Amino acid sequence: MIPSATPYARNVGFLGVLPEFRGRGYVDDLLAEVTRRHAEAGAELISATTDTGNAPMAAAFARAGYRTTEIRMIWSAPVAERE
């Protein structure tokens, strides 16, 4: 886990659990720790992001009390077929 900050808010910069250790609740412990560190440092707002398809991480944020405030979708133009 890497706690980080922008000019606007503290955030969960990175949080990862190695595949062989997933499913044991470590993500909840790590998220609680980064949240605690930011809160103890006086953060009034802590942000975090995850990929839309990363349901396990989204669920971890929800369990920790984080709420979804926005969703960012990245669209790309279709590649033209070559003739």
Side-chain angles (χ1 to χ4, degrees):
M1 93 186 160
I2 300 173
S4 60
T6 67
Y8 311 104
R10 303 290 178 110
N11 57 65
V12 180
F14 177 81
L15 194 154
V17 177
L18 293 170
E20 60 268 25
F21 295 104
R22 292 179 184 159
R24 300 179 189 180
Y26 295 135
V27 68
D28 296 324
D29 296 338
L30 292 169
L31 185 53
E33 178 63 17
V34 72
T35 302
R36 182 191 64 74
R37 288 184 187 189
H38 282 320
E40 286 181 354
E44 294 181 23
L45 174 67
I46 304 169
S47 66
T49 61
T50 191
D51 297 328
T52 303
N54 190 343
M57 193 67 234
F61 286 132
R63 285 192 303 273
Y66 284 73
R67 58 186 170 85
T68 301
T69 59
E70 57 187 76
I71 296 173
R72 177 176 38 191
M73 298 183 75
I74 299 173
W75 299 85
S76 59
V79 177
E81 291 186 29
R82 294 183 182 183
E83 294 182 19

